[in-house]
Amino acid sequence: MKIVHGFASTPEDARGSVIALGNFDGVHLGHRHVIELARDLAETCGGELGVALFDPHPRRFFAPDAPAFRLMSANRRNRTLEALGVKRLHILPFDGEMAGKTPRQFVDEVLVEGMGVKGVVTGADFRFGSGRAGSTGDLERLCAEHGVRTAFAELHGNGADKVSSTRIRKAILDGDMTAAETLLGTPWAIEGTVKQGDQRGRTIGFPTANLTLGDYARPAYGVYAVRVGIDGETPARPGVANFGKRPTVDGETELLEIHLFDFSGDLYGKTLEVEFHDFLRPERRFDGIDALKAQIAKDAETARAVLTDPSGPA
């Protein structure tokens, strides 16, 4: 997959895409529905299948102090898009200039003059341009002036309600990793660099790799069965993790602590990709380190059983 940054000087060999246009945080089933429609249009138009997204996410641009909401790392997103057959990924800068463009300016300057697209596909609820003034009807009309084809995907449902990033964040916050995986089409995962902690886990026989979640959506505080990849590996190493404020030993610092089964080695400075599979129990305070140690042993046993069950995580 070719990655193209910006739109002002798109190389000739990256022009002529039929793009799925949106934010694509999580590349969830709704996003995949838009990409499938773009694939169909690309076959009709004879263009390469592309995706165009904004960076930073417009939500972060307009509300820099908003709570963390990110669903997927750029690395995992790009791998997922490539696996879906996307040939070109156009990353469009979202800044004051982009935010101020009228719907016509966005189509004329970004999509047509800048990227040279052959077609554009979005969700039926897509809005664009300054003040979100542009509708899908405006996009269709403005693109038609340049001979650019358009198509619009109806909201994609999962049998109960529409698949959306908001719905997925709610499932994650509730600790419902089964629902999150169903909506995403893949386990929810975060990526981070291991920081040096207080090394307390070593003293009780359960060394942990410690990550902060940064701008990722926050899961329910508690214990999870996880799979982990180290420095670009596919997340396959089984483990158990606690996310929360560690009320027994700290009570203030929010941290993800991961214990990998049957692993020895130094993880400091390594990049871990952590997939959340099952929520095992809520975080709680224990009466001392011995009680905490006994519970971690039980959690590890439960996580092993969950991750080795032939039917997969519940």
Side-chain angles (χ1 to χ4, degrees):
M1 183 175 71
K2 182 179 181 65
I3 299 177
V4 183
H5 293 270
F7 63 90
S9 56
T10 303
E12 282 301 317
D13 65 355
R15 297 174 71 82
S17 298
V18 173
I19 60 165
L21 175 63
N23 290 314
F24 297 97
D25 182 24
V27 196
H28 58 58
L29 295 187
H31 296 146
R32 296 179 191 215
H33 183 50
V34 175
I35 292 169
E36 280 301 313
L37 192 57
R39 187 194 317 281
D40 294 342
L41 186 59
E43 291 175 357
T44 301
C45 296
E48 292 275 15
L49 174 61
V51 161
L53 54 84
F54 299 101
D55 184 47
H57 194 295
R59 178 173 177 177
R60 180 55 68 210
F61 175 81
F62 287 115
D65 297 324
F69 63 87
R70 186 177 171 193
L71 291 176
M72 182 178 276
S73 71
N75 288 333
R76 190 175 178 92
R77 178 198 68 204
N78 294 354
R79 292 200 312 270
T80 302
L81 291 174
E82 187 167 28
L84 292 172
V86 174
K87 302 300 182 184
R88 296 173 185 159
L89 172 59
H90 298 264
I91 299 178
L92 305 177
F94 200 89
D95 51 19
E97 180 182 356
M98 181 69 79
K101 289 186 183 296
T102 65
R104 179 173 290 279
Q105 287 173 325
F106 179 75
V107 171
D108 292 353
E109 298 172 11
V110 178
L111 299 182
V112 177
E113 296 170 16
M115 299 167 61
V117 301
K118 287 186 175 182
V120 182
V121 179
T122 71
D125 59 350
F126 182 73
R127 306 292 300 189
F128 70 106
S130 178
R132 293 170 53 85
S135 65
T136 51
D138 295 318
L139 183 61
E140 182 177 30
R141 174 177 54 81
L142 293 168
C143 284
E145 293 178 7
H146 299 280
V148 174
R149 300 277 298 275
T150 53
F152 305 102
E154 292 302 318
L155 301 182
H156 189 68
N158 68 337
D161 54 4
K162 79 165 185 170
V163 177
S164 69
S165 297
T166 299
R167 172 71 185 87
I168 295 166
R169 292 186 193 103
K170 178 62 166 57
I172 291 167
L173 179 62
D174 291 343
D176 190 347
M177 294 304 157
T178 299
E181 180 173 355
T182 298
L183 296 166
L184 284 165
T186 186
W188 181 63
I190 64 96
E191 185 179 290
T193 302
V194 179
K195 308 295 184 183
Q196 182 142 3
D198 54 25
Q199 299 185 329
R200 184 177 286 108
R202 295 174 184 270
T203 67
I204 60 174
F206 293 96
T208 60
N210 300 331
L211 303 179
T212 55
L213 263 61
D215 204 30
Y216 285 105
R218 296 301 195 260
Y221 282 2
V223 179
Y224 296 84
V226 298
R227 293 192 187 277
V228 179
I230 302 172
D231 281 348
E233 293 178 341
T234 298
R237 298 175 184 269
V240 64
N242 181 83
F243 178 66
K245 293 187 176 181
R246 307 177 297 167
T248 305
V249 298
D250 185 340
E252 297 181 2
T253 306
E254 189 181 76
L255 199 65
L256 177 65
E257 300 174 295
I258 307 127
H259 172 68
L260 292 179
F261 302 144
D262 309 316
F263 176 83
S264 62
D266 185 1
L267 291 174
Y268 293 133
K270 302 286 188 182
T271 298
L272 302 188
E273 186 173 13
V274 184
E275 288 184 348
F276 289 70
H277 287 272
D278 264 28
F279 180 69
L280 304 183
R281 64 169 178 84
E283 183 178 55
R284 64 186 180 90
R285 181 182 179 85
F286 293 91
D287 295 327
I289 296 300
D290 287 343
L292 174 63
K293 180 178 177 179
Q295 183 61 55
I296 293 174
K298 292 178 182 177
D299 294 337
E301 183 179 352
T302 302
R304 280 184 186 272
V306 166
L307 295 171
T308 57
D309 187 328
S311 63

